[in-house]
Amino acid sequence: MGPEELKKAIRRFKRPKKKASLSEINLSPESTFDALMEERLQQLERQIGEVRSRVNWLFLLIVGAATADIISRFTG
C-alpha cells in the first residue's frame, strides 16, 4: 500500500457522513389526531377482515348444506 493510497483511505475515513435532510425524514403522522385516525383505520381493517372471514365460512356452510341436501334427495 503506497502513500497515495493511504492518503485516499484517510480522506475517505475523515469525510463527514451525509446527514438526512428534512425531506428524507418521515414525520407521519403529523398530529395526534392523525395518529388516532390511523389506529382506528387499522382496527377497522382488522374487523372487516374478521367479518369477511365469517361471511366466507357461512357461505361455505350454506353451500355444503345445500349440496348434502341435494345428494340425500338423489340417494334417498
Side-chain angles (χ1 to χ4, degrees), residues 5-19:
E5 292 175 1
L6 184 58
K7 287 179 185 178
K8 286 180 185 178
I10 291 173
R11 273 190 227 121
R12 273 187 278 145
F13 181 72
K14 284 187 166 183
R15 188 176 306 154
K17 304 289 184 203
K18 179 183 173 187
K19 294 183 179 179

Side-chain angles (χ1 to χ4, degrees), residues 44-54:
L44 185 61
E45 288 174 353
R46 276 186 253 128
Q47 290 173 354
I48 288 173
E50 289 177 16
V51 169
R52 183 176 288 164
S53 174
R54 290 179 184 182

Side-chain angles (χ1 to χ4, degrees), residues 8-38:
K8 286 180 185 178
I10 291 173
R11 273 190 227 121
R12 273 187 278 145
F13 181 72
K14 284 187 166 183
R15 188 176 306 154
K17 304 289 184 203
K18 179 183 173 187
K19 294 183 179 179
S21 68
L22 290 178
S23 63
E24 295 175 355
I25 297 173
N26 185 6
L27 297 176
S28 64
E30 294 180 3
S31 67
T32 306
F33 177 78
D34 291 339
L36 290 173
M37 287 304 297
E38 187 174 324

Side-chain angles (χ1 to χ4, degrees), residues 68-76:
D69 185 45
I70 291 170
I71 291 173
S72 69
R73 287 185 185 186
F74 280 127
T75 59

Side-chain angles (χ1 to χ4, degrees), residues 28 38-39 55-56 63 73:
S28 64
E38 187 174 324
E39 181 64 30
V55 167
N56 286 341
V63 168
R73 287 185 185 186

